[in-house]
Amino acid sequence: MRIRIATDQDRDRVRGIHLAAFPDSERDLVADLAERLLCEPTLPPAVSLIAETDDGVAGHVAFSPVWSEDDREMNGYILAPLGVHPESQKRGVGLGLVEAGMQRLKAAGVQVVFVYGDPAYYGRFGFSVESAAGYVPPYALQYPHGWQACELSEVGGERREVRVTCVDALCDPELW
């Protein structure tokens, strides 16, 4: 498996991964999100990675910047979405994508990464509900236990409530 940066030329492949990976009720929403994040310019830049095997593109993950008006020193990203083609699931593709992205973010000096997902799955990467305590998601959550964080470096000072703001592509209450 090879992991590389996704480009605009990968738009159809990225969309196809998420259409195949998600159930009918979510697939269009998530595929649209993945495509928008691939094309939306952000500062700092989003990180979008593709996993390739000999059979083609097996998975995709996006990490986009987040910020807070409450704490201008916060340097964070959010992991969303992660998709692995059903034929490549349970083969370490998701693991490889998340680990590669987290390594890139840590090397870039990112302090914290958020995710809204299954704690049993994301816990293996160091995400936890406890680490997200004090960070308020951009929208009300249907599953509050899914809001998690992973601190990549020491977050200095006393923790106070900080409302997280995200890029335009994630500003859709249906995603939350």
Side-chain angles (χ1 to χ4, degrees):
M1 177 174 66
R2 297 168 303 283
I3 296 177
R4 65 171 176 82
I5 296 286
T7 68
D8 283 348
Q9 289 80 27
D10 294 310
R11 183 183 295 185
D12 291 340
R13 288 182 282 267
V14 165
R15 184 171 188 75
I17 286 293
H18 294 285
L19 287 173
F22 284 85
D24 290 346
S25 62
E26 300 176 71
R27 60 184 273 172
D28 290 322
L29 185 66
V30 176
D32 288 348
L33 170 63
E35 188 175 352
R36 285 187 66 197
L37 287 171
L38 186 60
C39 301
E40 183 178 326
T42 64
L43 280 176
V47 175
S48 189
L49 302 174
I50 282 182
E52 296 177 312
T53 65
D54 292 337
D55 297 326
V57 175
H60 169 260
V61 68
F63 296 85
S64 58
V66 297
W67 59 94
S68 176
E69 296 297 322
D70 303 323
D71 181 357
R72 295 191 184 269
E73 300 298 314
M74 183 182 82
N75 179 5
Y77 273 70
I78 188 166
L79 185 168
L82 169 64
V84 177
H85 194 282
E87 293 175 6
S88 298
Q89 290 178 0
K90 303 205 184 310
R91 296 185 181 163
V93 174
L95 178 72
L97 284 166
V98 173
E99 286 181 344
M102 298 288 275
Q103 288 171 0
R104 283 178 177 273
L105 294 174
K106 186 172 185 169
V110 171
Q111 296 171 320
V112 61
V113 179
F114 300 96
V115 71
Y116 179 45
D118 180 4
Y121 182 79
Y122 289 102
R124 72 180 79 185
F125 303 107
F127 287 93
S128 71
V129 172
E130 295 79 22
S131 292
Y135 292 106
V136 181
Y139 295 93
L141 303 176
Q142 184 176 3
Y143 305 104
H145 65 278
W147 180 244
Q148 303 157 76
C150 178
E151 294 179 348
L152 301 180
S153 65
E154 190 67 36
V155 179
E158 185 179 326
R159 178 74 61 86
R160 57 189 168 86
E161 190 169 282
V162 174
R163 179 163 298 282
V164 175
T165 304
C166 52
V167 297
D168 287 346
L170 283 163
C171 288
D172 181 348
E174 284 188 61
L175 294 167
W176 301 88

